[in-house]
């Protein structure tokens, strides 16, 4: 969402729009900050409740790499992302760059939420997972109604690192 928003804001800044570029960019900056704050703070209680009730992942739990989860989510929501991108571009004729900055703010808020979850994982010394069978075909929602609890593994499980980043491996010399 971040990159789609940046591209839409850049392309949206080209036409002068009905309100002018200055008003569009300033209102877009305000929308960026509001969207980032709202998305980053939304549903934190639900995430905390799921994290506190996390049980140790068992052998029967199917856990997948976060990169695979992100690809599945993108594939399942590609039409919504395309529609949001088109709406951000279309809104630039009225308010230049504002729609793109709003979309970029939502992407930045998701990144802030991932960083917050990563700090919680480091503090708890455990990675949090969602069972794959609790997610829908479209990638599901990591804190939706279908998710009854998180599963946890040690901090060194697989190639994942806290916050969904990739684990750095030592270079072979």
């Amino acid at each position: 969402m971040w990159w789609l928003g940046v591209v839409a804001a850049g392309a949206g800044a080209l036409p002068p729009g009905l309100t002018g570029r200055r008003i569009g960019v300033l209102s877009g900056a305000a929308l960026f900050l509001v969207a980032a704050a709202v998305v980053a703070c939304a549903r934190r209680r639900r995430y905390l409740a799921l994290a506190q009730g996390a049980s140790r992942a068992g052998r029967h739990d199917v856990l997948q790499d976060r990169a695979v989860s992100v690809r599945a989510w993108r594939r399942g929501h590609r039409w919504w992302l395309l529609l949001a991108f088109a709406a951000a571009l279309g809104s630039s004729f009225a308010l230049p760059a504002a729609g793109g900055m709003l979309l970029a703010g939502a992407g930045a808020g998701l990144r802030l939420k991932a960083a917050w979850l990563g700090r919680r994982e480091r503090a708890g010394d455990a990675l949090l997972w969602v069972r794959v069978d609790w997610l829908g075909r479209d990638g599901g929602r990591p804190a939706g109604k279908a998710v009854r609890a998180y599963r946890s593994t040690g901090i060194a499980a697989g190639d994942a690192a806290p916050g969904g980043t990739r684990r750095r491996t030592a270079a072979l010399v």
Side-chain angles (χ1 to χ4, degrees):
M1 283 173 50
W2 162 260
W3 287 112
L4 287 176
V6 168
V7 170
L14 296 177
L18 297 176
T19 60
R21 282 190 192 98
R22 182 174 181 217
I23 292 174
V25 171
L26 289 176
S27 62
L31 286 172
F32 177 89
L33 293 174
V34 168
V38 167
V39 170
C41 295
R43 299 180 58 93
R44 280 199 178 192
R45 284 190 209 135
R46 173 79 173 145
Y47 280 96
L48 286 174
L50 289 170
Q52 289 172 351
S55 61
R56 203 74 174 142
R59 290 183 184 258
H60 64 280
D61 289 336
V62 178
L63 306 173
Q64 69 185 6
D65 184 38
R66 293 176 189 201
V68 176
S69 299
V70 168
R71 274 196 310 269
W73 188 89
R74 278 189 202 139
R75 192 173 28 246
H77 293 86
R78 65 180 167 257
W79 294 111
W80 289 107
L81 291 171
L82 184 63
L83 183 65
F85 179 71
L89 276 178
S91 71
S92 63
F93 291 107
L95 206 57
M101 293 177 89
L102 175 67
L103 189 60
L110 287 175
R111 180 64 187 112
L112 289 172
K113 186 178 283 189
W116 172 73
L117 280 171
R119 286 190 302 271
R120 292 208 42 90
E121 287 176 334
R122 278 190 197 93
D125 218 21
L127 294 177
L128 299 172
W129 301 83
V130 176
R131 285 180 43 177
V132 175
D133 54 340
W134 288 348
L135 298 174
R137 284 190 347 245
D138 62 349
R141 296 179 176 183
K145 290 180 183 180
V147 178
R148 296 186 274 299
Y150 284 157
R151 300 293 192 232
S152 67
T153 60
I155 204 84
D159 60 354
T165 58
R166 304 251 338 140
R167 181 174 304 286
R168 292 188 181 110
T169 57
L172 298 175
V173 179

